[in-house]
Amino acid sequence: ALSLFFGETLVPPYMQRLLIGKSIEDTVRGTLWSGLLSIPFFVLIGVIGIIAFSITSDLAPNLALPFVIQTVMPVGLKGFAIAGMMAVIMSSADSFLNAASVSIVHDVLKPLQKAKKKKIFTQEAEIQWTRVATLCVGIGGIIFSIKQTSALDVLLMAYNFWTPVILVPLISGLFGYKAPVQAFWVGSSAGIVSTILWNSYVESSVQVEGALIGILANFLVFILIAKGNEVHDSAAECIVKKAA
């Protein structure tokens, strides 16, 4: 449950929706109502799982919805249910694909181009590169999902690469906490390495997701480096004042 909680915290599609609000009040109101409107949908999903379990208890969890559609629903409604399910999947998929492609272009390609002192992307070039990035991320997502046997496993695996790397520095930045660049790189490296090692050697015996350990490692390293930098800056200021 904690892996799902932290994994869904401040993911890019949600952040995009929060940041497009006209004001803080609009954002708060939209977040509140979206949460309230989500309750009946979550209840419905739970009911579908209970129905599937009551019919057959050995069914894989990720097959519950298709099984109920195939077994319980009449022929006329099956098409609508399948179309609705595909619409929900595509709605989430295009949001994540858009966020990923925009991040690749703006946070990776453009900074690299500036570092090489080349001409900045034109608007047309950005659109073309965004399309290429969307295609590449989509193909990668298809390959990744095919190799996983459960939708939940896909989410947990994705969280292992998201939360240990980005969550700590992102939250610190949103709260206005300033830290040196080294805190981000070293903390993120500690988070992803801790996650990989934990999942490889420890997770199977204690049933604790490596993403949680990675978040903790990232947080500790991030804070230690940030505090160390503050102490260093304070000491440097004192030396400068005494010299003056």
Side-chain angles (χ1 to χ4, degrees), residues 43-145:
V43 172
L44 179 61
I45 292 172
V47 171
I48 291 173
I50 293 173
I51 293 173
F53 183 79
S54 64
I55 297 175
T56 173
S57 59
D58 57 351
L59 183 68
N62 57 305
L63 297 178
L65 179 57
F67 175 79
V68 171
I69 292 175
Q70 181 66 27
T71 306
V72 178
M73 286 190 169
V75 176
L77 293 179
K78 286 182 181 180
F80 288 104
I82 294 173
M85 183 173 63
M86 294 302 300
V88 171
I89 294 173
M90 292 304 298
S91 175
S92 299
D94 67 1
S95 298
F96 279 89
L97 284 173
N98 178 68
S101 59
V102 171
S103 297
I104 290 173
V105 173
H106 283 271
D107 300 332
V108 179
L109 297 181
K110 290 183 72 173
L112 288 176
Q113 192 179 45
K114 290 180 180 179
K116 293 180 180 180
K117 298 181 179 180
K118 293 184 178 181
K119 185 179 178 181
I120 304 298
F121 279 170
T122 62
Q123 185 174 1
E124 292 76 11
E126 284 191 37
I127 295 175
Q128 293 300 326
W129 277 108
T130 302
R131 290 173 177 171
V132 173
T134 302
L135 177 63
C136 294
V137 173
I139 294 174
I142 293 173
I143 297 173
F144 179 76
S145 61

Side-chain angles (χ1 to χ4, degrees), residues 66-242:
F67 175 79
V68 171
I69 292 175
Q70 181 66 27
T71 306
V72 178
M73 286 190 169
V75 176
L77 293 179
K78 286 182 181 180
F80 288 104
I82 294 173
M85 183 173 63
M86 294 302 300
V88 171
I89 294 173
M90 292 304 298
S91 175
S92 299
D94 67 1
S95 298
F96 279 89
L97 284 173
N98 178 68
S101 59
V102 171
S103 297
I104 290 173
V105 173
H106 283 271
D107 300 332
V108 179
L109 297 181
K110 290 183 72 173
L112 288 176
Q113 192 179 45
K114 290 180 180 179
K116 293 180 180 180
K117 298 181 179 180
K118 293 184 178 181
K119 185 179 178 181
I120 304 298
F121 279 170
T122 62
Q123 185 174 1
E124 292 76 11
E126 284 191 37
I127 295 175
Q128 293 300 326
W129 277 108
T130 302
R131 290 173 177 171
V132 173
T134 302
L135 177 63
C136 294
V137 173
I139 294 174
I142 293 173
I143 297 173
F144 179 76
S145 61
I146 289 175
K147 292 186 176 181
Q148 299 294 326
T149 58
S150 170
L152 183 60
D153 292 338
V154 173
L155 287 176
L156 293 177
M157 182 63 69
Y159 296 156
N160 285 333
F161 292 95
W162 157 256
T163 52
V165 177
I166 301 297
L167 192 59
V168 172
L170 177 60
I171 292 178
S172 65
L174 291 175
F175 280 93
Y177 183 78
K178 296 182 180 180
V181 178
Q182 292 82 358
F184 170 79
W185 289 112
V186 180
S188 298
S189 300
I192 192 64
V193 170
S194 300
T195 301
I196 293 173
L197 293 177
W198 183 273
N199 287 339
S200 300
Y201 300 105
V202 183
E203 191 268 338
S204 58
S205 59
V206 297
Q207 299 300 318
V208 176
E209 287 293 331
L212 302 178
I213 306 302
I215 294 172
L216 179 61
N218 190 344
F219 175 76
L220 293 176
V221 173
F222 186 89
I223 292 298
L224 286 174
I225 294 178
K227 291 298 183 182
N229 184 75
E230 291 178 1
V231 172
H232 179 270
D233 291 342
S234 299
E237 290 179 3
C238 291
I239 292 174
V240 171
K241 289 180 179 179
K242 288 181 180 180

